[in-house]
């Protein structure tokens, strides 16, 4: 499985890790970086009613830290108000608390927004979900006349994911380089392809979708996201960088565990906040915060960004190998299998940060959770389960249990 695919590596680890119920651990949640060259318009957030803390939520957040995250931030928004909770630290050296309104790299949650732009173009009659990608982007990939836009959106196009190439083994190296979309696609084309028609997660497909948006609209993808998604949804803290390596506004230091490092040794987690995000771009490059992600899913699931028919298609998913925890992937959306049923949204993982963002069917209840680490060792399984437990305690009002057993079973 690709190393930076939301919770995919974590789910693989479930097969080999001993799973225990979330355990209480640590305690509480500023750090500034230079302003970006093209700052987004900022606005003060209106005061909202304070939401009561869901039962067991503190335990779930503390357990996420105990599982190997330096810190975690969670935000809930619904008609009862807003609740923000943190645990752990924003920086392992300074021990600063997690900022309550921290910005972070949302990674593959970016796909939900890119997919929404594509669906808007379909709604406008400028694209078809079932047209081949080679119609608009001839010569970019072999067999482009047989791979549809829909297949790129739901990862059934049979494309390798470029980040499995040796070039992307060490984020401390590739995170300093600048990549063009052509270079990313070419890296993928040198790798063996998975079977077309079956789910195989591919960042390459979303690089092509970003190029498709630019081809059809004649504008940069970042501009289309701003015009079509960020502004209508009130996402004033979100932007898609190209090569600028910082994160503007309050944020936690991001960490990663290098391949082969002993997680038990002091200093094994390495800071990696600054990254040239050109390697991620349309696939997983956006910067945002929990408030804005909750606003996005409120707008999307509330029918303000695409019509109901297309929204239904976005939430019509193909089966994934990550079932039963993340059982289906639709058109830029994935589901999480909670004890009270499937809930849709997305996860994301990029060196420095992991994100979980989900909402109920109407977008009335939203929760986003961010941890300031990416790790692909065995411990990530428990980290994942603790994050899912936090989601379950909010949406379902009870601890998470794996289907077929208790939370203490494998």
């Amino acid at each position: 499985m690709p190393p930076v695919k939301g919770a995919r590596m974590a789910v693989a680890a479930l097969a080999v890790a001993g799973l225990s119920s979330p355990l209480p651990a640590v305690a509480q949640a500023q750090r500034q970086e230079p302003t970006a060259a093209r700052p987004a318009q900022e606005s003060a957030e209106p005061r909202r009613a304070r939401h009561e803390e869901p039962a067991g939520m503190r335990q779930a957040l503390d357990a996420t830290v105990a599982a190997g995250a330096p810190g975690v931030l969670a935000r809930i928004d619904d008609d009862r108000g807003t609740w923000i909770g943190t645990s752990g630290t924003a920086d392992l050296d300074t021990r600063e608390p997690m900022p309550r309104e921290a910005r972070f790299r949302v990674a593959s949650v970016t796909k939900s927004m890119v997919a929404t732009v594509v669906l808007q173009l379909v709604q406008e009659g400028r694209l078809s979900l079932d047209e081949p990608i080679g119609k608009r982007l001839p010569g970019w990939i072999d067999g482009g006349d047989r791979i549809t836009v829909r297949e790129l959106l739901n990862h059934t196009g049979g494309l390798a994911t470029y980040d499995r190439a040796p070039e992307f083994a060490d984020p401390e190296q590739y995170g300093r380089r600048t990549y063009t979309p052509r270079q990313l696609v070419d890296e993928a084309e040198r790798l063996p392809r998975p079977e077309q028609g079956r789910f195989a997660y591919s960042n390459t497909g979303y690089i092509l979708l970003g190029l498709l948006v630019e081809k059809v609209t004649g504008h940069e993808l970042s501009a289309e996201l701003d015009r079509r998604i960020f502004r209508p949804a009130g996402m004033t803290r979100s932007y898609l960088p190209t090569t600028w390596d910082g994160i503007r506004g309050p944020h936690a230091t991001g960490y990663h565990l290098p391949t082969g490092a002993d997680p038990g040794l002091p200093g094994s987690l390495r800071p990696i906040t600054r990254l040239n995000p050109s390697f991620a771009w349309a696939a997983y490059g956006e910067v945002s915060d929990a408030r804005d992600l909750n606003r996005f899913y409120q707008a999307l699931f509330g029918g303000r960004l695409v019509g109901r028919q297309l929204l239904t298609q976005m939430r019509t998913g193909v089966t994934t190998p990550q079932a039963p925890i993340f059982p289906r992937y639709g058109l830029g959306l994935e589901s999480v299998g909670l004890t009270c049923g499937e809930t849709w949204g997305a996860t994301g993982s990029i060196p420095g940060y992991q994100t979980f963002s989900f909402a109920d069917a109407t977008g009335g209840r939203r929760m986003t959770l961010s941890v300031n680490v990416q790790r692909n060792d065995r411990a990530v399984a428990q980290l994942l389960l603790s994050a899912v437990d936090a989601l379950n305690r909010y949406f379902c009002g009870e601890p998470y249990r794996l289907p077929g057993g208790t939370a203490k079973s494998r």
Side-chain angles (χ1 to χ4, degrees):
M1 292 183 186
V4 285
K5 301 293 166 298
R8 274 149 285 279
M9 179 64 191
V11 176
L14 295 177
V16 296
L19 303 183
S20 60
S21 59
L23 300 173
V26 206
Q28 244 289 81
Q30 218 137 42
R31 190 170 169 90
Q32 296 269 344
E33 295 239 354
T35 304
R38 297 168 57 186
Q41 183 179 359
E42 189 58 89
S43 63
E45 183 174 5
R47 293 180 64 85
R48 299 197 69 216
R50 181 174 296 178
H51 194 294
E52 65 181 14
E53 180 176 306
M57 185 63 70
R58 177 63 47 189
Q59 177 188 12
L61 297 187
D62 288 349
T64 306
V65 174
V72 58
L73 161 73
R75 175 168 173 142
I76 290 167
D77 287 293
D78 58 31
D79 59 4
R80 291 183 292 169
T82 294
W83 179 84
I84 300 172
T86 66
S87 183
T89 183
D91 189 284
L92 292 172
D93 292 328
T94 67
R95 310 307 298 182
E96 295 179 51
M98 289 287 287
R100 289 170 54 84
E101 297 186 2
R103 321 292 169 83
F104 46 88
R105 302 186 192 279
V106 307
S108 288
V109 183
T110 306
K111 292 180 173 67
S112 291
M113 294 165 223
V114 171
T116 301
V117 173
V118 171
L119 270 290
Q120 288 178 346
L121 294 173
V122 170
Q123 192 164 265
E124 295 164 9
R126 302 168 71 179
L127 269 182
S128 166
L129 283 173
D130 298 313
E131 71 176 61
I133 189 63
K135 175 182 176 181
R136 312 290 181 126
L137 300 175
W140 273 82
I141 53 170
D142 289 340
D145 58 335
R146 301 186 300 275
I147 300 173
T148 66
V149 172
R150 186 190 303 274
E151 289 175 317
L152 297 183
L153 286 165
N154 66 12
H155 302 287
T156 61
L159 292 180
T161 189
Y162 61 84
D163 44 304
R164 291 297 299 269
E167 168 73 15
F168 299 100
D170 183 359
E172 295 185 36
Q173 297 300 318
Y174 70 77
R176 298 192 184 109
R177 300 169 185 155
T178 295
Y179 296 90
T180 65
R182 170 61 77 181
Q183 288 174 312
L184 300 176
V185 173
D186 286 350
E187 287 286 351
E189 288 288 82
R190 287 190 279 269
L191 299 173
R193 283 189 173 187
E195 179 184 348
Q196 187 174 356
R198 300 186 65 174
F199 179 87
Y201 201 91
S202 177
N203 282 323
T204 312
Y206 274 78
I207 297 299
L208 292 170
L209 289 168
L211 292 166
L212 177 64
V213 168
E214 294 190 336
K215 180 76 171 183
V216 173
T217 66
H219 303 134
E220 292 184 359
L221 176 62
S222 58
E224 288 298 302
L225 285 170
D226 185 60
R227 183 173 72 88
R228 293 173 173 270
I229 307 296
F230 301 157
R231 293 183 187 178
M235 300 168 64
T236 60
R237 301 169 183 171
S238 303
Y239 59 99
L240 182 69
T242 51
T243 60
W244 191 72
D245 65 357
I247 299 176
R248 64 170 173 257
H251 61 277
T253 299
Y255 294 90
H256 81 115
L257 182 68
T259 301
D262 183 347
L265 294 178
S268 58
L269 294 182
R270 293 178 57 87
I272 195 164
T273 311
R274 303 194 75 95
L275 281 174
N276 180 328
S278 59
F279 69 87
W281 192 51
Y284 59 119
E286 185 190 328
V287 174
S288 188
D289 75 346
R291 183 205 69 170
D292 275 13
L293 294 188
N294 285 352
R295 287 184 174 187
F296 167 69
Y297 286 114
Q298 180 184 32
L300 178 62
F301 294 168
R304 291 195 281 126
L305 298 180
V306 299
R308 292 295 177 186
Q309 185 177 9
L310 287 174
L311 182 57
T312 297
Q313 293 194 57
M314 291 184 79
R315 293 189 288 206
T316 301
V318 295
T319 302
T320 79
Q322 289 79 49
I325 300 180
F326 298 100
R328 293 191 293 159
Y329 199 100
L331 306 184
L333 298 173
E334 65 183 310
S335 68
V336 57
L338 302 178
T339 60
C340 55
E342 277 185 278
T343 300
W344 287 87
T347 63
S349 180
I350 191 170
Y353 305 91
Q354 289 184 254
T355 306
F356 305 78
S357 189
F358 291 87
D360 69 3
T362 64
R365 303 177 68 214
R366 294 91 64 197
M367 180 173 177
T368 293
L369 185 147
S370 171
V371 297
N372 59 331
V373 71
Q374 182 196 65
R375 51 191 305 160
N376 293 321
D377 61 320
R378 290 167 57 96
V380 75
Q382 185 60 60
L383 190 155
L384 166 69
L385 285 181
S386 298
V388 173
D389 182 52
L391 293 168
N392 205 85
R393 288 176 186 271
Y394 170 57
F395 287 109
C396 305
E398 63 179 1
Y400 177 71
R401 299 181 304 277
L402 282 169
T406 68
K408 291 186 178 181
S409 68
R410 288 191 58 167

